[in-house]
Amino acid sequence: MSLGLHENRQRRRRRFWWAVTKWSLALIAIVAAGAYSYRIGSQLAARDVTKAEQRIVELTEEVGGLERQSAALASELAKSKESIAAWQARYEREVPTGFVRELMSLVQQKLDAGADQERLAFLVSTAQKPRTCDETPQTKRFIVTTSLQSGANDAVSFADRSITVTASGTAARDASGNIEAWFDPNQPVKIAFTELGGKSVTAEGALPLHRSIVVGDDEYRFTFLPGARGFLSVTADRCDYP
């Protein structure tokens, strides 16, 4: 009887220690798994922190670069505004407006029409001086030479014969298209001014035609208009020069 009890106690003891051993091994396994997981998690967290720190450094550098670029652009913008303001001020100073602009436009028209540059410059520089002119302009007429017309009465003189004026033009045509002897007043004419000594200048254009000639201290202002058939009428007004 005592032997059976002893064996039962031995079996219960072995089962107890086996249970303790199993739970101990299970606990050890759980602790080991937890420790391993903690270690892996710590490594991953450390890696993520490192990556985050690197990204922060990169972003900080990018922000710094953008700030420097923004400062450079702001500086360039300020310089551009200063340049624009300077050009605007220069434009307002140098580009004429109002009467001056109209006067420059008129001067350009005169230059395009063949006016003498030095003469225009002189007239502008002496514009404040009153002009003294004769009260009795001279008017004369002469024949305009053509391909079929030349000879007598084809010249007139002014300034005590110091200026001789002649003209040539295009021959007129009748209704049938035949050439006539006299010039066509609707076509441009060419005027020649010959001074004593042989110096000659010309003016060419449609009538009425205007031209000024300076001889010594006198300026002669000529105006040409169509006269009787074949003739040209010229009026000369003498003024002091300058």
Side-chain angles (χ1 to χ4, degrees):
M1 183 73 175
S2 59
L3 180 61
L5 292 172
H6 179 73
E7 290 178 351
N8 288 333
R9 289 176 182 172
Q10 289 292 331
R11 284 195 295 269
R12 286 196 298 268
R13 189 177 293 136
R14 284 196 298 271
R15 285 195 297 269
F16 171 77
W17 286 111
W18 174 244
V20 170
T21 300
K22 288 194 297 182
W23 283 108
S24 297
L25 291 174
L27 181 61
I28 292 172
I30 291 172
V31 171
Y36 179 78
S37 298
Y38 175 79
R39 180 181 179 185
I40 296 300
S42 298
Q43 291 178 350
L44 292 175
R47 187 180 303 170
D48 291 339
V49 169
T50 302
K51 290 182 179 180
E53 290 176 347
Q54 291 177 349
R55 184 56 180 163
I56 291 173
V57 172
E58 293 174 356
L59 292 175
T60 302
E61 292 178 353
E62 290 180 5
V63 170
L66 291 174
E67 290 178 348
R68 290 190 296 271
Q69 184 178 4
S70 177
L73 291 175
S75 177
E76 292 180 2
L77 178 60
K79 292 179 180 179
S80 298
K81 289 183 177 179
E82 292 178 358
S83 178
I84 291 173
W87 278 106
Q88 180 67 28
R90 181 177 178 182
Y91 176 85
E92 293 176 353
R93 288 195 310 268
E94 299 181 0
V95 176
T97 59
F99 172 76
V100 176
R101 183 173 182 175
E102 294 177 0
L103 180 61
M104 292 189 66
S105 177
L106 179 60
V107 170
Q108 186 61 53
Q109 292 177 11
K110 294 297 183 182
L111 291 173
D112 293 341
D116 183 71
Q117 295 182 8
E118 295 181 359
R119 175 61 181 156
L120 286 175
F122 178 81
L123 290 175
V124 172
S125 65
T126 59
Q128 73 278 9
K129 297 181 180 179
R131 301 290 293 171
T132 301
C133 301
D134 294 343
E135 297 181 358
T136 56
Q138 289 183 298
T139 299
K140 299 181 180 182
R141 68 172 192 169
F142 62 101
I143 292 177
V144 178
T145 61
T146 66
S147 57
L148 298 180
Q149 175 69 46
S150 62
N153 299 323
D154 60 355
V156 290
S157 61
F158 296 90
D160 295 330
R161 297 187 177 183
S162 60
I163 301 176
T164 299
V165 181
T166 58
S168 61
T170 302
R173 293 180 179 271
D174 60 18
S176 300
N178 298 316
I179 297 178
E180 298 180 317
W182 47 85
F183 82 104
D184 184 353
N186 295 318
Q187 298 296 323
V189 296
K190 184 176 182 180
I191 312 295
F193 304 87
T194 304
E195 301 179 25
L196 288 177
K199 179 182 177 181
S200 180
V201 293
T202 60
E204 187 172 358
L207 298 174
L209 191 62
H210 306 277
R211 182 64 188 248
S212 294
I213 299 295
V214 176
V215 179
D217 296 332
D218 299 321
E219 178 185 10
Y220 290 87
R221 301 176 178 178
F222 295 96
T223 299
F224 297 88
L225 296 169
R229 188 167 66 178
F231 284 85
L232 196 62
S233 176
V234 53
T235 298
D237 187 17
R238 191 210 67 81
C239 299
D240 292 341
Y241 182 86

